[in-house]
Amino acid sequence: MKRLLFWMLVCLILPMALQAEDVSITDTTDRFFLPHDTFWGYAQFDLAPPHNEIDPNLCASNARQFGGVNAPCNAFARYMLSGYLEIRPFGSGQLRRFMLFGEPSFLFGKNVPQSLYTWSFQPIGVEHSWGLGVYLGKGFEFRVTQHFLFDRVGSRDRNLGPADLGNNGPWGRYNAIGVRKYWGTRRW
């Protein structure tokens, strides 16, 4: 218990100690609430070639043994639409360091490894996570993230036979506390 209390204090005091090292984050003339750069993010579309499908871990890898091309558990994705959204609602003062973020991944396809390979765009589901972060200074960011279970959609939102592994997704549901370090500048 004492060790946990110690680390909680370190995580709370560290941002204040680093405040003096990076003054530029608070030196802004932007409005306090919803500044011009409140939203930042990206969207991405991925295509997996045949024999290399995206596996959201909904069906066992031997799903072909339970029906071959007609296996009911065919939730191996061909396409993925994912993105990242950062919301920094405060534009000045110490609250400028605070942000919220979300990261959804939508999966589509109808494939069974070593048996059925299609270009179907049938929806499978979404894996999403969200969290909050605080910029500490010198390129460091403290982050707390919540990863949810995989949410199935449409005809995949039921038991898909004996090869069905449930909706735990690649890693199941979990929380994470971490520190991210940024370096360099982007060239466009």
Side-chain angles (χ1 to χ4, degrees), residues 63-73 112 115-116:
R64 67 184 165 91
Q65 294 176 359
F66 301 99
V69 295
N70 297 318
C73 204
V112 179
S115 185
L116 175 67

Side-chain angles (χ1 to χ4, degrees), residues 18-82:
L18 292 174
Q19 169 187 352
E21 295 182 20
D22 191 7
V23 181
S24 64
I25 191 86
T26 59
D27 289 346
T28 181
T29 57
D30 214 343
R31 62 182 177 223
F32 177 72
F33 190 66
L34 298 178
H36 74 282
D37 61 348
T38 298
F39 299 101
W40 180 88
Y42 63 84
Q44 179 174 328
F45 180 77
D46 295 306
L47 168 68
H51 305 280
N52 194 26
E53 288 75 24
I54 302 164
D55 183 3
N57 202 33
L58 299 175
C59 299
S61 60
N62 63 348
R64 67 184 165 91
Q65 294 176 359
F66 301 99
V69 295
N70 297 318
C73 204
N74 52 24
F76 295 89
R78 172 80 56 223
Y79 312 98
M80 181 168 62
L81 179 62
S82 58

Side-chain angles (χ1 to χ4, degrees), residues 81 103-107 124-128 148-153:
L81 179 62
E103 194 169 9
S105 295
F106 300 90
L107 298 176
I124 296 173
V126 60
E127 181 182 28
H128 46 93
F148 295 96
L149 294 176
F150 193 89
D151 291 328
R152 300 182 194 197
V153 295

Side-chain angles (χ1 to χ4, degrees), residues 88-99:
R88 297 181 182 266
F90 304 106
S92 62
Q94 287 301 316
L95 289 176
R96 181 170 173 76
R97 297 172 179 264
F98 174 78
M99 67 135 178

Side-chain angles (χ1 to χ4, degrees), residues 99-150:
M99 67 135 178
L100 301 167
F101 62 89
E103 194 169 9
S105 295
F106 300 90
L107 298 176
F108 306 90
K110 181 180 179 182
N111 300 287
V112 179
Q114 301 176 351
S115 185
L116 175 67
Y117 298 100
T118 70
W119 294 97
S120 171
F121 206 80
Q122 184 176 1
I124 296 173
V126 60
E127 181 182 28
H128 46 93
S129 65
W130 67 274
L132 59 95
V134 177
Y135 182 74
L136 301 175
K138 298 221 179 232
F140 286 96
E141 188 175 87
F142 174 76
R143 297 169 69 94
V144 178
T145 308
Q146 166 70 58
H147 294 267
F148 295 96
L149 294 176
F150 193 89

